[in-house]
Amino acid sequence: MKVDRLKGVVETTGVRLVEEVGPPASTRAAPIEEKAAEAIDLLKARVDATAPGQLETPERQALRTLQLQEGGRRASLSELERTIGSDDLVDLNYLLRGLDAARPVGRITIRDGGGRALGDATGFMVTPTLLLTNQHVLADAATAAASRVDFDCELDRLGFPRPTTTFGFDPGRFFVVDAALDMALVAVSPQPMRGDGRLGDYGWLRLSPEVGKINVGEAITIIQHPNGRTKQVALRENRLLDITADHLTYESDTAPGSSGAPVFNDSWQVVALHHSGVPRKDAQGRWLLQNGQPAGEEDDDADIDWIANEGVRASRIVTTALALAPAGALRDELEACSLGRVEPPVPATESTRIPGSAVSGAPVGASTGLSVAASGTSTTLTVPLTITIGLGGASASAGTASVSAGAVEKVVEPWHDPNYPARTGYDPRFLGVSVPLPTLRDASVAARMHDGGVVVPYQNFSLAMHKARRLPLFTASNVDGSAAAKEPEPGRSYNRDALGGLAENDFERWFLDPRLPADAQLPDRFFDKDRKAFDKGHLVRREEVCWGVDYAQVRRANGDTYHVTNCTPQVAGFNRSNRKGVWGLLENLIEAQGRVERYSLFAGPLLAADDPVFVGVDDVGQVQVKIPRAYWKVVVARGQSGLEAFGFLLEQDLTQVAFEFDVDPVWRARMIPLKKLQDRIGLIRFPRAVMRADKGA
């Protein structure tokens, strides 16, 4: 491809790049294009002088460490050390993972309606059906329909070309483009036009909406088809220079034909879609060749002196694609794959493990009786006996799951909406009178969101986090128990599985809130690792806030309750109503009395200085967590005489008693005047309207 074909794309993206990473506007005396090399050189000098771990905040570095656990993978010591620049050694499985990551990458031949080849590019599968590349590669549906993608376009171990398989595109089935992000997502026809491969053989790469997968200074890798050649790898001698809202800027060896290639972090997670290079220019704005001479229109783009490259962030691509995609099976497929509810297929050469089971890690053919037969890309499990997987205590009544043949348990992440700016949180006018949020006596104890806020809004509820204790200071919920709010669209299912996309034998994996520092949240691993000690239960109950004006709001509320910010360590005998747990029973009875009513709830743990310390495990290593002895809840509702408030303080070590809410003396014994409760909590103040309405005084 010649220089003139790419100039339009690169000129546009080059301007945007320097606007984002260059010096402040007040210092820009010269045109932006003339400052490109200077801006890039400053970024390179910064990275040269600093180790990767010192270029980011501790919060972002902690989030980076958490991302190493994606898909159930285990991070090695050398992998952790590479993220902070203390070592550059790689484990052997780095090469194996790289081969897996290369399988879904294909060479695109761009054609016009007459079948004439216009150029080459790269693309990669992001679901079993959908391929991602640049919008400037497949600019419209007509171009996509005429173009082709080849898989296995690479050399074998002896250096000979492998047989390729060619597929066409089916934009009529699915085609989503966004010019601003230079992305095109298109369905691939399942039947090959040429060759013996099957589309399912090539797998796919996850586009995660979560942030924090790479930090400045870390190595990046690009798998690509430069100039239409066989598959190439720009391996490790490449560094991330800068992160902006939409883009990553990096050093790398890429060339024309690399447009649409996946950009990986050092753990083979997709962090960006490569889309543009930044050329070195002379004082007249002319592109320069590697020999320093101005490039002419007949010069090959591979001879240009590229000083940096730019990719579009994976998190921005998937959130935009989901917003643009029409409802249907393929949008659902994209959502499930990107959110990790479906994992890419495991290559047949890998041994099969069942996480959390008694046979996990056992050799095939051992006394477990579990056998594995692999053929092609499919794996067959033969389970002669029922496998019992422990969840809680030692007995079955404490919580166990039995997995029969054909029903293997897996951990999945409930669906949640990554478009966080859409959240409005707790509504103080929900009851028709003003019921403000509790206020903090000392705001310095609270974890702050990245925008500086303390109150974290979700669908129908809000909360504030104690940054040191890593637990909520309080939660505030609006509850509408009416049938119209609980099931606003008749004919749709609103049960837990339908809203969260969970199968019968699935365990939920709760997720961090990216708006808060990672080290201010107890990750899912803490509760999973120590499942015998604590329940992983909702502080804001899922059933309470799952309401709305339409299905989308109900579903968003359901997903929001699975943030780890809404989780606190409670023992099963306190939390679970089916085990006569007093907290669970109180929740049941409040919900039963408010079945057709509106009310608001404040709740939280009683965070005392002398709470006992529990030694557990988080995503970084061993962690000491103080466990609350007691939890409080305040119910605020409209009664015949006006606003009414009821406060409860429940201790985890109370004797479990079977009782009903109608037995007033029993519950009265657990009520507490709000003034006394406020003093016991110590960290917050209830609104005056709630204090005046106290029925426990």
Side-chain angles (χ1 to χ4, degrees):
M1 189 181 293
K2 305 304 178 186
V3 169
D4 61 326
R5 289 192 51 78
L6 279 188
K7 273 195 171 181
V9 173
V10 175
E11 291 292 345
T12 302
T13 56
V15 169
R16 180 168 63 249
L17 169 69
V18 179
E19 285 177 335
E20 291 173 339
V21 305
S26 61
T27 67
R28 293 176 182 163
I32 291 174
E33 292 88 340
E34 296 179 19
K35 285 197 173 269
E38 177 185 342
I40 296 299
D41 288 342
L42 289 173
L43 292 174
K44 290 180 179 179
R46 173 173 173 255
V47 171
D48 286 339
T50 316
Q54 300 171 358
L55 288 167
E56 298 291 354
T57 63
E59 291 81 9
R60 185 169 178 93
Q61 188 61 43
L63 188 59
R64 171 73 177 96
T65 304
L66 295 181
Q67 295 290 355
L68 297 177
Q69 313 295 327
E70 179 188 281
R73 68 169 74 203
R74 179 179 179 181
S76 68
L77 179 61
S78 63
E79 191 172 7
L80 290 166
E81 289 177 340
R82 291 199 305 274
T83 67
I84 60 175
S86 62
D87 197 344
D88 201 41
L89 292 174
V90 297
D91 300 283
L92 182 61
N93 71 351
Y94 175 85
L95 302 177
L96 299 176
R97 289 176 175 177
L99 291 175
D100 295 342
R103 290 284 286 158
V105 180
R107 178 184 65 185
I108 295 176
T109 302
I110 310 167
R111 298 179 181 273
D112 62 15
R116 182 180 59 176
L118 302 177
D120 300 287
T122 304
F124 57 101
M125 303 298 295
V126 295
T127 79
T129 309
L130 303 179
L131 177 140
L132 178 67
T133 188
N134 293 134
Q135 187 268 344
H136 78 257
V137 171
L138 302 179
D140 48 49
T143 303
S147 300
R148 308 285 183 264
V149 59
D150 301 319
F151 291 104
D152 285 333
C153 183
E154 56 196 57
L155 302 180
D156 64 17
R157 297 184 182 189
L158 297 179
F160 296 99
R162 296 184 61 188
T164 61
T165 300
T166 302
F167 293 86
F169 296 116
D170 188 358
R173 189 177 174 200
F174 189 98
F175 186 62
V176 170
V177 296
D178 185 85
L181 295 182
D182 195 16
M183 55 155 282
L185 199 58
V186 62
V188 179
S189 300
Q191 298 301 319
M193 304 176 67
R194 181 174 58 253
D196 299 326
R198 298 174 301 176
L199 188 59
D201 293 342
Y202 301 102
W204 46 275
L205 299 170
R206 182 187 176 198
L207 281 182
S208 172
E210 298 179 7
V211 298
K213 295 183 286 292
I214 191 170
N215 285 331
V216 171
E218 289 190 57
I220 59 103
T221 297
I222 303 179
I223 299 178
Q224 58 195 297
H225 286 280
N227 291 305
R229 299 196 302 266
T230 54
K231 195 174 295 178
Q232 311 282 307
V233 182
L235 189 66
R236 293 191 56 72
E237 287 301 320
N238 320 288
R239 299 174 302 172
L240 182 65
L241 300 177
D242 195 49
I243 303 174
T244 63
D246 292 341
H247 299 94
L248 302 181
T249 308
Y250 41 87
E251 294 179 290
S252 180
D253 293 325
T254 58
S258 300
S259 292
V263 181
F264 300 92
N265 65 11
D266 215 10
S267 303
W268 297 105
Q269 296 166 311
V270 178
V271 295
L273 168 69
H274 177 73
H275 84 130
S276 174
V278 180
R280 191 176 298 279
K281 300 178 183 180
D282 62 15
Q284 288 75 43
R286 296 176 297 182
W287 291 16
L288 296 178
L289 300 172
Q290 294 178 18
N291 62 13
Q293 297 299 312
E297 291 188 353
E298 294 304 312
D299 285 311
D300 196 285
D301 292 330
D303 296 324
I304 298 296
D305 184 8
W306 302 101
I307 58 176
N309 287 283
E310 184 181 73
V312 186
R313 294 177 65 175
S315 54
R316 289 286 290 114
I317 288 174
V318 69
T319 53
T320 300
L322 288 172
L324 295 176
L330 290 184
R331 186 198 180 280
D332 293 342
E333 180 179 289
L334 175 63
E335 183 176 74
C337 292
S338 63
L339 294 180
R341 294 206 300 268
V342 181
E343 296 291 344
V346 177
T349 55
E350 291 288 320
S351 61
T352 302
R353 295 163 59 98
I354 304 178
S357 73
V359 299
S360 179
V364 175
S367 60
T368 60
L370 175 67
S371 62
V372 181
S375 174
T377 59
S378 64
T379 302
T380 302
L381 293 175
T382 302
V383 186
L385 300 173
T386 298
I387 302 171
T388 299
I389 301 175
L391 298 180
S395 67
S397 63
T400 60
S402 296
V403 183
S404 309
V408 177
E409 169 269 336
K410 63 180 183 294
V411 178
V412 296
E413 186 173 282
W415 179 90
H416 62 288
D417 184 355
N419 182 25
Y420 288 99
R423 309 297 202 276
T424 56
Y426 172 84
D427 179 5
R429 299 290 304 180
F430 180 71
L431 299 179
V433 295
S434 179
V435 183
L437 286 168
T439 55
L440 300 178
R441 294 177 183 268
D442 180 4
S444 68
V445 304
R448 292 192 176 274
M449 294 190 292
H450 299 307
D451 65 3
V454 167
V455 176
V456 186
Y458 296 100
Q459 183 70 41
N460 298 334
F461 69 100
S462 298
L463 56 82
M465 294 291 291
H466 194 296
K467 64 182 177 183
R469 295 287 298 265
R470 303 168 77 174
L471 296 172
L473 285 157
F474 67 82
T475 64
S477 313
N478 301 131
V479 183
D480 188 335
S482 65
K486 288 289 188 181
E487 298 184 4
E489 297 179 26
R492 304 198 70 159
S493 177
Y494 288 87
N495 61 34
R496 167 182 161 274
D497 292 350
L499 293 174
L502 305 179
E504 180 181 354
N505 295 304
D506 291 348
F507 292 146
E508 299 133 341
R509 181 179 66 193
W510 291 34
F511 35 86
L512 293 174
D513 190 322
R515 297 171 294 178
L516 285 164
D519 63 0
Q521 307 173 66
L522 279 178
D524 183 81
R525 177 179 171 84
F526 174 82
F527 296 93
D528 281 350
K529 184 70 175 177
D530 303 306
R531 190 175 277 163
K532 291 182 179 180
F534 303 112
D535 268 4
K536 185 169 64 176
H538 296 78
L539 190 58
V540 171
R541 204 177 200 188
R542 190 188 67 82
E543 293 86 348
E544 291 169 346
V545 293
C546 278
W547 61 270
V549 299
D550 55 26
Y551 180 80
Q553 284 191 1
V554 178
R555 193 182 189 205
R556 186 184 302 120
N558 178 83
D560 277 1
T561 66
Y562 288 98
H563 287 85
V564 296
T565 52
N566 188 37
C567 196
T568 54
Q570 296 180 345
V571 295
F574 175 76
N575 175 59
R576 303 184 199 176
S577 59
N578 62 356
R579 296 188 62 191
K580 307 303 181 184
V582 65
W583 183 261
L585 286 173
L586 176 60
E587 291 180 323
N588 286 351
L589 296 166
I590 291 172
E591 184 178 350
Q593 292 205 9
R595 191 172 301 279
V596 295
E597 300 176 10
R598 283 189 162 207
Y599 55 97
S600 293
L601 292 173
F602 301 142
L606 188 67
L607 302 177
D610 61 347
D611 282 335
V613 174
F614 181 86
V615 179
V617 177
D618 68 4
D619 291 284
V620 179
Q622 192 178 87
V623 61
Q624 293 185 349
V625 177
K626 287 186 175 183
I627 304 301
R629 293 190 182 94
Y631 289 82
W632 56 270
K633 188 182 289 284
V634 177
V635 186
V636 185
R638 292 287 296 271
Q640 294 183 352
S641 59
L643 205 62
E644 298 179 343
F646 304 83
F648 297 88
L649 180 65
L650 308 180
E651 297 186 10
Q652 292 214 56
D653 60 354
L654 288 176
T655 301
Q656 306 305 302
V657 180
F659 41 69
E660 299 295 334
F661 192 69
D662 288 337
V663 184
D664 287 343
V666 174
W667 283 103
R668 282 288 174 184
R670 288 171 171 82
M671 286 185 65
I672 183 173
L674 293 185
K675 175 64 169 63
K676 185 176 180 180
L677 178 59
Q678 179 175 269
D679 292 341
R680 288 284 301 276
I681 297 170
L683 297 171
I684 67 172
R685 291 188 181 92
F686 292 119
R688 290 182 179 178
V690 173
M691 297 292 285
R692 289 196 297 265
D694 184 17
K695 295 300 181 180

